[in-house]
């Protein structure tokens, strides 16, 4: 079959081109990221010189020392305390949000019924959840978990609903024609089509959840990154406050980049070849 | 080798707009097909060809009338090749072949054999997105044959393909059919294709009624360039002109 051979040769060349430009684009992106950080630190340094007061705006160097100190001290314990709550809250959000989303995606009736509460829940500011969680649980492990769960749930639900609505009718029909039962259709057609949407919901709400979790810790906890920010603030230790905030941001980025994005790529390997049809 | 009995079949769909009329996809069709025959269903766009296959395969239910698809008293096994390939994009070619079987890994040998017949055994571990449209369609054809159906339904399987690929797949299909000999219902709007492939051509008119029922008595396999085939094609195209299909109402 000559046309097939020609096709595959062309395919190979195409792929090589894509790879080459992809590598170049990646390199350019890294350069830009590093440059961005350098500019940010440079501006900060100038601003600190101009303010001239360590209690109000410490210099990057001073904060760096603080970061090193924190990393040698109890960073991991505090970080662990925070992350466990965020993950627990997330787990609750997926546990509740997935069935809610399935209902909304499957039936018009449930969609109308649940739409408003879910949208309202999604647009309430994180601070409200943080305060609410504190009022309900006081200083406890469950406060931040509740706040994270409440903030992330609507995202998961809405995305799952979107995913269910997006299930390709034609693939379901194909399955019916070949005598596949409902369980097989659910497992091999519905779940794989919804999964990317669940993942998008998780990624979208992750930074939000991480922020609200930390915010709740500021007044509703005796552990975790949020609590450390408040403690340093009360001690008038500005370098400490900024160091914790920076560590917070840094770890959020790392988790997002290296865990979520990689997991997504692995899970959805087939998507890289998906084409518009 | 199945037996298909369609008795006074009607199918209407709910009106597309609030105060429109219901859409009549199939007006009134009665039809019997039995044995190792290759039957084409031709007709202008919107005359209910896909709907007919969907009802036969259980994807749609009739509004009234009955259909029965049997093989020696039991429900027949079906294979269905769609207008588009309809592969699961998240499964490899082989996993797509195995999805429609119930014998798990044991079916792999069989699946491989049919993939081989359409010249695609090397795509075993590829995802559908890595294949060209024509290759995907060939996987769809291999999938339909691999379940070794009693009745094979094909809905314009070559209409999205270029002329050259379509021609080579048509030859392929004749080979496969000669080797396996099952009952085939083949939808197309290409009369030329229908004459080359079939023993019998059912012509549908707009509104989903049978307009004509033509038998073709030429030995298989037939080449598109065979003068006998060409003569018949011209004659049947002539009959078509009597139908004056009205353009589909918007
Ligand atoms: N699921 C559906 N809901 C509503 N109307 C439908 C549906 N499926 C088909 N129809 C309508 O039924 C009629 C027949 O459709 P069908 O797809 O069977 O035509 P066809 O003969 O296969 O046409 P084509 O050659 O263009 O594929 C059309 O008017 C179409 O709009
Ligand atoms: Mg059709």
């Amino acid at each position: 079959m000559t046309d097939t051979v020609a096709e595959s040769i062309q395919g190979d060349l195409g792929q090589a081109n894509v790879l080459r430009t992809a590598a170049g684009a990646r390199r350019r992106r890294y350069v830009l990221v590093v440059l961005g950080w350098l500019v940010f630190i440079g501006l900060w340094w100038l601003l600190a010189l101009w303010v001239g007061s360590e209690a109000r705006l410490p210099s990057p160097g001073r904060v760096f020392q603080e970061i090193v100190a924190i990393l040698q001290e109890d960073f991991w314990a505090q970080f662990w305390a925070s992350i466990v709550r965020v993950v627990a809250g997330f787990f609750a959000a997926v546990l509740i949000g997935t069935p809610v989303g399935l209902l909304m995606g499957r039936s018009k009736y449930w969609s109308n019924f649940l739409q408003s509460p879910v949208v309202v829940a999604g647009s309430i500011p994180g601070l409200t959840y943080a305060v609410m969680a504190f009022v309900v649980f006081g200083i406890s492990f469950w406060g931040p978990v509740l706040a994270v769960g409440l903030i992330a749930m609507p995202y998961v639900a809405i995305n799952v609903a979107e995913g269910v609505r997006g299930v390709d009718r034609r693939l379901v029909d194909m399955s019916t024609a070949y005598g596949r039962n409902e369980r097989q259709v659910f497992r091999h057609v519905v779940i794989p089509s919804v999964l990317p949407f669940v993942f998008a919901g998780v990624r979208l709400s992750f930074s939000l959840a991480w922020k609200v979790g930390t915010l709740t810790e500021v007044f509703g906890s005796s552990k975790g990154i949020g609590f450390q920010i408040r403690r340093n603030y009360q001690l008038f230790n500005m370098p400490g406050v900024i160091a914790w905030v920076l560590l917070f941001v840094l770890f959020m980025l790392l988790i997002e980049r290296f865990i979520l994005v990689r997991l997504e790529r692995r899970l959805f390997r087939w998507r890289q070849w998906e084409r518009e049809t | 080798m199945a037996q298909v009995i369609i008795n006074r079949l009607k199918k209407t769909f709910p009106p597309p707009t609030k105060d429109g009329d219901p859409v009549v996809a199939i007006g009134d069709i009665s039809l019997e097909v039995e044995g190792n025959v290759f039957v084409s269903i031709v007709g202008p766009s919107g005359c209910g060809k896909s709907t007919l296959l969907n009802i036969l395969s259980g994807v749609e239910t009739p509004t009234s009338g009955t259909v029965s698809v049997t093989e020696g008293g039991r429900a027949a096994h079906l294979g269905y090749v769609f207008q588009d390939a309809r592969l699961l994009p998240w499964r490899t070619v082989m996993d797509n072949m195995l999805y429609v079987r119930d014998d798990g890994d044991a079916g792999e040998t069989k699946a491989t054999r049919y993939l081989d017949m359409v010249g695609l055994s090397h795509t075993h571990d590829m995802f559908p997105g890595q294949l060209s449209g024509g290759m995907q369609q060939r996987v769809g054809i291999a999938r339909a044959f691999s379940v070794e159906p009693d009745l094979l339904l094909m809905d314009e399987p070559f209409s999205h393909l270029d002329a050259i690929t379509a021609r080579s797949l048509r030859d392929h299909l004749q080979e496969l059919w000669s080797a396996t000999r099952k009952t085939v219902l083949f939808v197309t709007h290409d009369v030329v294709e229908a004459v080359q492939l079939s023993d019998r051509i059912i012509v549908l008119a707009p509104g989903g009624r049978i307009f004509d029922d033509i038998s073709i008595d030429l030995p298989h396999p037939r080449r598109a360039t065979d003068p006998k085939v060409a003569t018949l094609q011209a004659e049947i195209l002539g009959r078509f002109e009597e139908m004056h299909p009205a353009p589909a109402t918007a």
Side-chain angles (χ1 to χ4, degrees), chain B residues 49-50 83 155-156 187:
Chain B
K49 303 182 298 292
S50 299
Q83 258 172 295
D155 190 355
E156 302 184 35
V187 165

Side-chain angles (χ1 to χ4, degrees), chain A residues 1 3-5 7-8 11 15 167-194 196 267-275 277, chain B residues 54 57-60 78-82 84-92 96 98-102 118-120 122 127-133 135-136 138 140 143-145 147 165 168 172:
Chain A
M1 273 215 168
D3 60 339
T4 326
V5 174
E7 230 158 47
S8 71
Q15 205 145 16
V167 169
D168 192 342
R169 189 72 240 161
R170 296 170 308 163
L171 293 179
V172 178
D173 286 349
M174 181 275 287
S175 307
T176 313
Y178 278 104
R180 303 297 89 189
N181 61 34
E182 225 168 281
R183 205 182 54 83
Q184 288 169 308
V185 174
F186 190 75
R187 177 155 164 227
H188 297 295
V189 180
V190 177
I191 290 183
S193 351
V194 172
L267 273 176
F268 308 127
R269 197 159 64 93
W270 58 273
R271 289 199 114 192
Q272 74 192 83
W273 295 294
E274 213 181 17
R275 280 185 288 221
T277 42
Chain B
N54 283 338
S57 63
V59 171
E60 302 269 10
L78 299 186
Y80 198 154
V81 182
F82 302 86
D84 44 355
R86 301 207 190 176
L87 306 173
L88 304 177
W90 40 82
R91 301 189 117 207
T92 60
N96 264 286
L98 294 179
Y99 174 56
V100 299
R101 307 183 64 89
D102 290 314
V118 295
L120 286 178
H122 65 286
F127 286 93
Q130 291 172 281
L131 307 182
S132 71
M135 291 159 95
Q136 292 182 24
R138 265 143 75 195
R143 176 177 64 187
F145 272 94
V147 300
T165 312
S168 95
H172 246 15

